[in-house]
Amino acid sequence: MTHAIRIHETGGPEKLVWEDIPLPSPKPGEALVRHKAVGLNFIDVYFRTGLYKAPSLPAIIGMEGSGIVEAIGEGVTEVAVGDRVAYATGPIGAYAQARCIKADRLVKLPDAIGFEQGAAMMLQGMTAAFLIKKCYPVQAGQTVLVHAAAGGVGLILCQWLKHIGATVIGVVSTEEKAALARAHGAAHALLTKDDVPARVKEITGGAMLPVVFDSVGRDTFNTSLDCLASFGMMVSYGNASGPVAIPDLGILSAKGSLYVTRPTLVTYTAKREDLNARATDLFEVVASGAVQIRVNQTFALKDAADAHRALEARQTTGSTVLLP
């Protein structure tokens, strides 16, 4: 037997239950991973509340983890028993002391990266990688806006964009988070209570922005559109404040022939070569020191409900991991 956090019905953090479960055996193409750390992400909240549907109930949620390969199934060539590995592209099931997962979804963790850092960086770091390298390839000299700039993905984006040579405008909820965003590469840190489009207009001399990276969702969608220059792209990659209702498409033409995309890491890493490429991008930029992954909070896995409460109350900064 082993232990896991499961939900039997969707709802609040109290629905996360610590339970005994059978230790699984890897099927062909799978590997059994003994977790050393599990990442905490807002997508976990979406599955817990039912905004995103689990395949069935009861369900073990969680997208991201790191650990050691304990056993492999028939035909596995991507990893071997004893390998240090990490993953972030699902399916759900990470809130467990051990799990089986398709081996082609695992990447080998470099020796220089610890398990906690590995669990904290994969989902958020590869999300940052595909956003700024594939979804909208940001160029040196461009000015871009990042919502939730003091969050896990936000802090990585701020550092990585500065490393590229872009000017980052970060938007955060408090002065403390503004200081954190500036410390991680944001040239400008605005508060959500500010008139963000007006400040962007001031900062850019009226030019506005080619792209906005928005993980907040409903509360910031129109603000993000108002920050864009003609032909600009709104990249909506999260729903922290709730899902965005599909607007009248006429708003995009009225505001300057804008583009909107709602990308996912799963799509951008569906092919094994793309998964390896984004992981390599991430490992290289972290190894260079240009991007630092800060685990600012840890919780015991059995206390996942407390971690969810802190996350939803915006009491966390940087990355948070759950320890089995």
Side-chain angles (χ1 to χ4, degrees):
M1 300 292 287
T2 187
H3 293 87
I5 290 282
R6 296 203 295 180
I7 57 170
H8 292 260
E9 58 183 355
T10 58
E14 72 281 359
K15 301 300 182 182
L16 299 168
V17 184
W18 181 245
E19 296 181 331
D20 289 335
I21 62 169
L23 182 68
S25 297
K27 299 175 183 177
E30 292 184 340
L32 173 64
V33 177
R34 176 68 61 176
H35 285 141
K36 296 295 185 180
V38 173
L40 175 72
N41 298 282
F42 237 103
I43 193 172
D44 305 344
V45 174
Y46 303 157
F47 276 107
R48 190 204 76 218
T49 61
L51 177 62
Y52 291 178
K53 302 298 182 184
S56 62
L57 293 176
I60 301 172
I61 63 172
M63 297 286 291
E64 174 181 46
S66 66
I68 296 174
V69 175
E70 201 166 83
I72 57 173
E74 182 183 351
V76 169
T77 58
E78 295 87 354
V79 296
V81 172
D83 281 350
R84 303 171 72 252
V85 295
Y87 65 89
T89 57
I92 60 171
Y95 281 27
Q97 292 177 323
R99 74 172 296 189
C100 288
I101 189 169
K102 289 184 178 180
D104 66 3
R105 295 291 89 195
L106 297 171
V107 296
K108 294 182 182 180
L109 198 61
D111 291 339
I113 296 176
F115 287 114
E116 289 189 20
Q117 190 180 46
M121 71 189 288
M122 294 304 296
L123 184 60
Q124 296 170 350
M126 288 200 298
T127 294
F130 92 78
L131 288 175
I132 64 178
K133 285 185 166 287
K134 299 297 289 185
C135 187
Y136 185 94
V138 178
Q139 304 299 312
Q142 290 183 314
T143 300
V144 306
L145 187 142
V146 176
H147 283 286
V153 176
L155 290 180
I156 296 171
L157 282 171
C158 287
Q159 295 175 84
W160 207 330
L161 288 164
K162 181 180 180 181
H163 177 61
I164 289 171
T167 298
V168 180
I169 302 173
V171 181
V172 295
S173 58
T174 67
E175 292 287 358
E176 292 77 13
K177 290 184 177 182
L180 189 63
R182 284 191 290 267
H184 286 77
H188 309 274
L190 311 182
L191 299 181
T192 50
K193 65 181 181 180
D194 295 339
D195 185 338
V196 173
R199 292 285 288 116
V200 167
K201 186 175 183 179
E202 176 186 337
I203 291 166
T204 62
M208 308 310 282
L209 306 172
V211 63
V212 171
F213 297 104
D214 189 336
S215 62
V216 177
R218 181 176 57 209
D219 290 354
T220 54
F221 186 79
N222 288 325
T223 295
S224 294
L225 295 182
D226 288 339
C227 291
L228 291 169
S230 295
F231 313 114
M233 178 176 284
M234 159 64 165
V235 181
S236 177
Y237 69 97
N239 310 299
S241 67
V244 177
I246 297 175
D248 175 1
L249 290 180
I251 195 173
L252 302 180
S253 60
K255 292 181 180 294
S257 298
L258 304 180
Y259 296 86
V260 175
T261 184
R262 184 60 172 88
T264 69
L265 176 63
V266 171
T267 307
Y268 275 83
T269 56
K271 296 179 180 179
R272 176 72 181 173
E273 56 266 34
D274 291 331
L275 174 64
N276 282 332
R278 299 294 76 78
T280 298
D281 290 337
L282 176 62
F283 294 151
E284 287 179 350
V285 78
V286 170
S288 74
V291 171
Q292 297 183 13
I293 307 297
R294 299 192 183 279
V295 179
N296 290 341
Q297 300 84 206
T298 61
F299 293 82
L301 178 60
K302 65 182 179 63
D303 297 327
D306 291 335
H308 276 229
R309 293 186 184 100
L311 182 65
E312 290 180 276
R314 297 192 176 188
Q315 294 172 351
T316 65
T317 60
S319 298
T320 303
V321 298
L322 310 174
L323 302 178

